[in-house]
Amino acid sequence: AQSVTQLDSHVSVSEGTPVLLRCNYSSSYSPSLFWYVQHPNKGLQLLLKYTSAATLVKGINGFEAEFKKSETSFHLTKPSAHMSDAAEYFCVVSVGSGGGADGLTFGKGTHLIIQP
Amino acid sequence: DTEVTQTPKHLVMGMTNKKSLKCEQHMGHRAMYWYKQKAKKPPELMFVYSYEKLSINESVPSRFSPECPNSSLLNLHLHALQPEDSALYLCASSQGGFWGNQPQHFGDGTRLSIL
């Protein structure tokens, strides 16, 4: 079994300051981990993924995340927040079932607010 | 612009109507998914198709009927829905990596309202 815990339901930062969105996971196997972003009235967009290669993963729009197995964490960071970063962010662990199709276990989401 | 196209963007229907949601992708992905998302909640997996065969049905009520006519198309047929079925319905596709290491690409969804 696997689970994902996003430690903050809301995060508020000022424009130009660093962003930290926290995610802890549990998984019986080596996990694949993803961060997705969802802007209002839009679908989910992949920010980055970890699939057992480099532990520091760089994504789009200046985001990156570090996989820490000892802490079972996959926190998302960005050095400088932009107003356009305001959105809902989901941390996701993949439940590989083999055979070519698999589902995802979503965290409950973190709502990122950017103060001007 | 998303690479997964969903139509219609909005749908309002009565509880006795029959309607269909459509999803299309041309990325050559062989796995396609339907999700239901309520406001301020994460998406909930409904169905997974792999190589055009239904692979996962997450105990979805029979008033939702999925169909995968070919590898690029996914439909969700709706009949006799309830007000609690009002939600954003998201379609996604992926290359369907064996151990789940392939990301899913999502459409912008269909906003469904049941009167």
Side-chain angles (χ1 to χ4, degrees), chain A residues 66-112:
Chain A
E66 186 171 7
F67 174 73
K68 292 187 176 181
K69 186 174 181 179
S70 60
E71 299 176 10
T72 61
S73 69
F74 190 56
H75 299 336
L76 182 70
T77 60
K78 182 173 181 177
S80 177
H82 191 273
M83 294 300 291
S84 60
D85 294 328
E88 193 78 15
Y89 291 78
F90 293 101
C91 181
V92 179
V93 62
S94 178
V95 294
S97 61
D102 22 74
L104 303 180
T105 300
F106 285 77
K108 292 188 176 181
T110 298
H111 186 65
L112 178 61

Side-chain angles (χ1 to χ4, degrees), chain A residues 30 32 34 36 38 41-46 49 51 88 90 94-104 106-109, chain B residues 31 33 35 37 41-43 45 48-50 55-56 88 90 95-104 106-108 111:
Chain A
S30 295
S32 293
F34 308 86
Y36 287 84
Q38 186 175 30
N41 300 312
K42 290 290 188 181
L44 279 72
Q45 180 184 20
L46 179 70
K49 66 175 183 178
T51 55
E88 193 78 15
F90 293 101
S94 178
V95 294
S97 61
D102 22 74
L104 303 180
F106 285 77
K108 292 188 176 181
Chain B
Y33 311 76
Y35 288 87
Q37 187 180 26
K41 297 290 187 181
L45 183 65
V48 180
Y49 274 83
S50 176
S55 177
I56 295 175
L88 181 67
L90 293 165
Q95 293 181 335
F98 186 79
W99 287 115
N101 62 358
Q102 297 300 317
Q104 295 185 9
F106 286 81
D108 282 340
R111 178 76 59 189

Side-chain angles (χ1 to χ4, degrees), chain A residues 4-24:
Chain A
V4 177
T5 302
Q6 291 185 241
L7 299 167
D8 306 293
S9 60
H10 292 80
V11 169
S12 180
V13 302
S14 298
E15 190 176 20
T17 64
V19 175
L20 170 63
L21 305 183
R22 298 183 294 165
C23 172
N24 287 351

